[in-house]
Amino acid sequence: MHVDTDDGILRIAFDRPGALNAMTRETAVTLADTIEDAAPEEHHAIVLTGEGDAFSAGGDLQALAEGPASARDAYESVTDSFGRVVEAMLESAVPIVAKVNGDAIGAGLAVVALADIAYAAEDATFSCAFVRVGLIPDTGGTFMLPHIIGLRAAKKLAFTGEFFGAERAADLELVNETVTADELDDRVEETVEQLRNRPTEIVGMMKQAMHENMGRHWSEALDYENLLQVQARTSEAHEEGVSAFLEGRDPEFDL
């Protein structure tokens, strides 16, 4: 996995192009560790992509086949690797942008679903392919897909393992937008620049509130929203935002 920080942007790339960026347990642990280390005091955004022609073909089946034999050990292994990816991505206070440069299959599709914002190249292919190898969706797939694309659509993708293109992924709202491969970098960087000019701490609070409130009764959700809003109102970002508005200038949000 290739990791680089560029002017407050943490860039992560799956780096096994010869294996279509299939993820081993070690890859998942490294991804989780890297995301967990990101902090709104140091980073405006995280960009996640793949080297070569694929985003990620999902779990490396050969490596996984050589894993723990007992059910207990297998549970602990998946929880401590791919399970940690889910936790890290959903709890990160730094917004995550998926740049889907190519095929996103199985766990690769699930990672796209976990990202906060996603853009895909028009020639990318997607599949919730777990059923094709006798598995259920993991890496948060049974949780995030119904939330993002709806229960009925999620069931069809999971039950059939069908392949579909980027245009349908956008129609399902699995990705925000599709662009040509040549335009993908520029489209992602436009969003990164927008995030660079927003208060990351407050963006993190928004993400926290939205995720925590999924499944809550509206009254509990409102109470939690109000709690975080109080924190936001006492932040330096809010003070700067109000000052900039009153002074007729663009706000300058520091990390």
Side-chain angles (χ1 to χ4, degrees):
M1 182 167 294
H2 181 73
V3 179
D4 183 42
T5 299
D6 174 26
D7 194 21
I9 307 301
L10 178 60
R11 301 181 187 274
I12 306 172
F14 296 116
D15 195 14
R16 298 182 67 209
L20 299 179
N21 296 321
M23 289 181 275
T24 63
R25 294 180 181 85
E26 291 74 21
T27 304
V29 169
T30 300
L31 177 59
D33 286 343
T34 304
I35 293 174
E36 286 172 358
D37 287 342
E41 298 82 12
E42 301 176 8
H43 303 99
H44 295 288
I46 299 169
V47 176
L48 180 59
T49 191
E51 297 287 353
D53 296 330
F55 178 78
S56 174
D60 186 320
L61 294 180
Q62 182 173 349
L64 296 177
E66 299 168 356
S70 74
R72 182 182 182 85
D73 289 344
Y75 174 82
E76 292 179 352
S77 178
V78 72
T79 300
D80 293 340
S81 55
F82 291 91
R84 279 191 57 213
V85 170
V86 179
E87 185 177 359
M89 293 186 70
L90 292 180
E91 292 191 352
S92 176
V94 180
I96 300 171
V97 181
K99 181 168 69 174
V100 188
N101 56 301
D103 295 353
I105 310 298
L109 178 147
V111 167
V112 174
L114 289 166
D116 301 306
I117 301 170
Y119 298 103
E122 288 178 343
D123 57 356
T125 297
F126 298 79
S127 175
C128 187
F130 298 92
V131 71
R132 292 174 176 269
V133 292
L135 293 173
I136 72 166
D138 61 20
T139 320
T142 61
F143 173 74
M144 286 306 297
L145 279 178
H147 274 289
I148 292 174
I149 70 174
L151 180 60
R152 193 178 297 274
K155 284 179 177 179
K156 184 171 187 293
L157 296 187
F159 294 176
T160 65
E162 66 187 65
F163 291 87
F164 56 98
E167 184 176 349
R168 186 174 178 210
D171 289 341
L172 290 169
E173 298 187 4
L174 179 62
V175 299
N176 294 81
E177 187 179 335
T178 64
V179 295
T180 66
D182 291 340
E183 296 171 328
L184 183 60
D185 284 349
D186 288 343
R187 187 66 189 92
V188 169
E189 292 308 309
E190 286 177 10
T191 295
V192 166
E193 190 60 28
Q194 287 179 311
L195 294 172
R196 195 193 303 276
N197 292 307
R198 302 294 185 266
T200 310
E201 175 189 8
I202 303 303
V203 172
M205 287 184 184
M206 294 179 191
K207 176 176 175 177
Q208 180 182 355
M210 291 179 186
H211 287 179
E212 290 287 343
N213 282 338
M214 287 194 300
R216 275 193 169 130
H217 185 273
W218 71 264
S219 61
E220 295 176 326
L222 181 60
D223 186 62
Y224 189 69
E225 177 185 293
N226 291 340
L227 177 64
L228 288 180
Q229 186 71 302
V230 170
Q231 295 179 30
R233 287 175 65 90
T234 60
S235 68
E236 292 181 2
H238 176 63
E239 182 179 351
E240 166 62 13
V242 172
S243 295
F245 176 79
L246 295 177
E247 295 169 12
R249 59 176 175 82
D250 291 332
E252 297 180 3
F253 297 115
D254 297 325
L255 283 174

